[in-house]
Amino acid sequence: RNHLSLQSNVSISSPLHPPKQPFVIGVAGGTASGKTTVCNMIISQLRDQGVLLINQDSFYHSLSDEQLEKVQEYNFDHPGAFNTELLLSCMERLKNGHEVTIPNYDFKTHKSTLVGQKVNPSDVIILEGILILHDPRVRELMNMKIFVETDSDLRLARRIKRDTVERGRNIQNVLDQYARFVKPSFEEFILPSKKYADIIIPRGGDNAVAIDLIVQHIHTKLGQHDLCKIYPNVFVISSTFQI
Ligand code: ADP
Ligand code: C5P
C-alpha cells in the first residue's frame, strides 16, 4: 500500500516570500477502519491540488534485536511506539518550505529501512494514522480533524485478511495481538481521541457523501486562502465572497 503520495510543488522560502502555509488534515481511526481508503478518495477528488499524504506508520520506532526476540510482547498500538518528535520536526520543515525525508517502515521486519522518501512541501498535507489525534502538538498543526468510524468486528475481519496477505502474519498471531494490545489500546487511546475530531465518518470509504462534503470544504478553504493573498482587503463570509 502506498504510504506517500505526492506531487512536486517546491515553495520559495525567503523573507520576501514566506512559504504558503499548508492546509493540514488529520485522519484517525482504529486499525483497518478505512483511513487509507478515505485519504485516497479525498486525494483523487482533489486532483488539481498538490497533496502530500504522510502516514503515521512511517514514524514507528525500529525494534532492537532484543525487542525483536519478544515481538509478541510489543505494543504497536501505544503512543510510545511512534517517534512523534521526528514527525513534528518533519512538519516544521515542510511548513517552512523545505524538503524532508520520510522514513520507510517495513511491517515484516518491524524496522525502518535505511533509505527514506524525499518529499516536497505541498498546499495540502494529510496526516493519517491510528493515533494521529492523540498528541496535542500534532493536533495543533491541523486545520481539519477527521475520525473514521467502522464497527470493530468488521475491522478485525479486514485486519486478519490484510495482515495474513500483506504483512506476513498468521491468523493465530493476529488474534493474539488483537486481544492483548490492539483492542485495549483502541479503547484506551484511540477511541478517546475521537472527541477532538471536527468530522466523524461512519462506514469509512463507503460514505461517499461525507467524502464529497470534506472535499468541498477543502476547496472552499483553499479558495479563501488564495483570494486573501491576492486581495488582502477582501471580506470573506462563509463560502461566498463579498467584494
Ligand atoms: P486503515 O488505513 O484504516 O488501516 P484501509 O483503508 O487500509 O484501513 O483498509 C483496511 C483493509 O480493509 C484494506 O484491505 C481495504 O482494502 C479494506 N477496506 C477498506 N475499506 C473498505 C470497504 N469500504 N469495503 C471493503 N473493504 C474495505
Ligand atoms: O494500517 P493500520 O492503521 O491498521 O496500522 C496500524 C496497526 O499496525 C496497529 O494496530 C499495529 O498493531 C499494527 N502494527 C503491526 N506491526 C508493526 C507495526 C504496526 O502489527 N510492526
Side-chain angles (χ1 to χ4, degrees), residues 55-221:
N55 199 304
Q56 190 180 26
D57 295 345
S58 307
F59 294 88
Y60 265 118
H61 288 295
S62 288
L63 295 200
S64 63
D65 292 343
E66 202 182 320
Q67 288 169 318
L68 277 174
E69 277 172 24
K70 301 182 276 184
V71 70
Q72 274 80 3
E73 289 167 31
Y74 192 87
N75 185 357
F76 291 101
D77 294 73
H78 190 278
F82 297 95
N83 186 347
T84 304
E85 304 301 323
L86 184 60
L87 170 68
L88 286 166
S89 74
C90 285
M91 285 302 291
E92 183 65 25
R93 280 184 58 77
L94 286 169
K95 286 182 88 149
N96 287 321
H98 301 296
E99 168 191 278
V100 294
T101 302
I102 306 287
N104 260 327
Y105 185 73
D106 183 342
F107 285 91
K108 290 186 179 154
T109 60
H110 313 287
K111 281 180 191 284
S112 288
T113 53
L114 283 177
V115 187
Q117 188 166 355
K118 286 202 168 117
V119 301
N120 288 318
S122 190
D123 289 347
V124 179
I125 300 178
I126 306 184
L127 293 175
E128 181 246 298
I130 49 171
L131 284 162
I132 209 70
L133 294 183
H134 176 77
D135 191 306
R137 297 167 301 167
V138 181
R139 284 201 305 273
E140 258 171 40
L141 300 168
M142 297 170 183
N143 302 93
M144 186 193 241
K145 303 182 202 73
I146 298 173
F147 191 94
V148 180
E149 193 170 60
T150 302
D151 289 345
S152 297
D153 53 356
L154 207 50
R155 292 193 294 103
L156 175 57
R158 287 178 188 166
R159 171 132 176 181
I160 293 170
K161 202 166 154 193
R162 182 193 64 194
D163 284 9
T164 51
V165 175
E166 293 171 26
R167 295 187 181 174
R169 315 285 167 90
N170 67 51
I171 293 182
Q172 196 54 52
N173 291 152
V174 178
L175 292 177
D176 289 347
Q177 185 189 3
Y178 190 84
R180 186 164 177 193
F181 295 120
V182 181
K183 185 178 160 69
S185 292
F186 176 76
E187 283 161 9
E188 187 174 355
F189 304 111
I190 302 173
L191 200 51
S193 76
K194 187 168 77 167
K195 64 173 172 284
Y196 302 112
D198 304 306
I199 299 158
I200 296 164
I201 309 185
R203 306 182 309 282
D206 289 337
N207 194 333
V209 174
I211 313 276
D212 278 355
L213 288 171
I214 289 165
V215 169
Q216 270 182 39
H217 180 78
I218 298 167
H219 274 308
T220 306
K221 288 291 171 190

Side-chain angles (χ1 to χ4, degrees), residues 20-25 46-51 122-125 143 214-230 236 241:
K20 192 167 152 183
Q21 286 305 293
F23 189 82
V24 181
I25 306 165
L46 285 173
R47 50 194 164 273
D48 300 331
Q49 202 64 55
V51 182
S122 190
D123 289 347
V124 179
I125 300 178
N143 302 93
I214 289 165
V215 169
Q216 270 182 39
H217 180 78
I218 298 167
H219 274 308
T220 306
K221 288 291 171 190
L222 291 175
Q224 282 177 7
H225 187 95
D226 289 344
L227 199 66
C228 289
K229 281 192 90 165
I230 305 165
V236 181
F241 302 121

Side-chain angles (χ1 to χ4, degrees), residues 1 30-37 128 158 162 166 205-206:
R1 109 182 175 189
T31 182
S33 55
K35 301 181 294 296
T36 309
T37 307
E128 181 246 298
R158 287 178 188 166
R162 182 193 64 194
E166 293 171 26
D206 289 337

